[in-house]
Amino acid sequence: MKTFDLTQIAVRELNQALHDVAQTATEREWVVTHPNGAHNLAVGVNAAVSVDINGHAGYYCAGMNQHAAITVHGNVGVGCAENMMSGAVRVKGSASQAAGATAHGGLLVIEGDAGARCGISMKGVDIVVGGSIGHMSCFMGQAGRLVVCGDAGDALGDSLYETRIYVKGRVASLGSDCIEKEMRAEHLAELQELLDTAGFAERAADFKRYGSARQLYNFKVDNASAY
């Protein structure tokens, strides 16, 4: 196990060491102490390593992650796991805005709440939130699954494509072209698997599913005056 104390080294040194491990294939367990809300922690990791960040992290923690399993034992700032490609990111606390933004793959678990625009423009990632999420979440969501064990703010799923959204609690309002959909057997099965993988003791049957009405996919001449 390799330990980095951020009172002794710079974030740049930490990230460079994590980038180097993809080439050396030596240390597989990393611990980061005293992060003190520093930005850009563990970004661009491209190796099957585990990274434990013992404290709060700032903006863009675990951004562009590939293969790594990154756990933050605290809260995170804007853009956690932004553009993640694979691997797993777990936040033991809550997340600020744009968690999982544009992410293409992997699993993001937020045990607390997430702020506005959670999963904005997500492109294949799975996001499971133990608490509630803020407004405009999953705006233009293209692919992947967003699971919310609490409530969702205004304009959920505005202008989304094929992302599947599951919410247990109250939805303040749905965005343009987002509707409630039937919860079929295959949806119950995939949701239960996601909940189990994320480690949440929830029942899929308690959730509702939301998705695209598919009315914004193509230009309609009858709506020309609105453009």
Side-chain angles (χ1 to χ4, degrees), residues 49-219:
V49 297
S50 68
V51 182
D52 278 278
I53 299 173
N54 292 329
H56 304 308
Y59 296 173
Y60 301 111
C61 177
M64 301 179 288
N65 183 53
Q66 293 190 72
H67 308 301
I70 300 173
T71 302
V72 181
H73 298 270
N75 303 321
V76 293
V78 173
C80 175
E82 183 264 345
N83 207 39
M84 177 166 69
M85 307 302 279
S86 62
V89 176
R90 178 177 291 271
V91 178
K92 292 287 190 177
S94 294
S96 185
Q97 298 186 59
T102 75
H104 288 248
L107 173 66
L108 169 60
V109 178
I110 300 167
E111 296 187 2
D113 299 320
R117 298 175 177 83
C118 178
I120 185 172
S121 194
M122 54 191 282
K123 296 176 172 65
V125 66
D126 289 325
I127 303 175
V128 185
V129 181
S132 299
I133 59 174
H135 65 273
M136 291 295 290
S137 289
C138 208
F139 171 62
M140 292 190 70
Q142 296 169 38
R145 285 88 56 95
L146 171 62
V147 180
V148 183
C149 299
D151 301 326
D154 284 312
L156 176 69
D158 190 272
S159 304
L160 86 166
Y161 292 80
E162 291 303 311
T163 299
R164 290 178 178 171
I165 304 174
Y166 299 98
V167 182
K168 180 181 179 182
R170 175 180 173 272
V171 175
S173 68
L174 296 176
S176 298
D177 209 40
C178 183
I179 59 172
E180 184 178 344
K181 292 194 165 186
E182 178 188 4
M183 197 65 143
R184 298 193 297 270
E186 64 264 31
H187 304 125
L188 290 168
E190 76 166 9
L191 174 56
Q192 194 62 61
E193 182 180 4
L194 277 170
L195 290 166
D196 293 345
T197 300
F200 293 129
E202 300 280 359
R203 294 189 324 126
D206 295 333
F207 289 71
K208 293 181 179 180
R209 180 170 76 97
Y210 303 89
S212 173
R214 302 187 176 97
Q215 296 301 303
L216 298 179
Y217 276 22
N218 301 294
F219 174 79

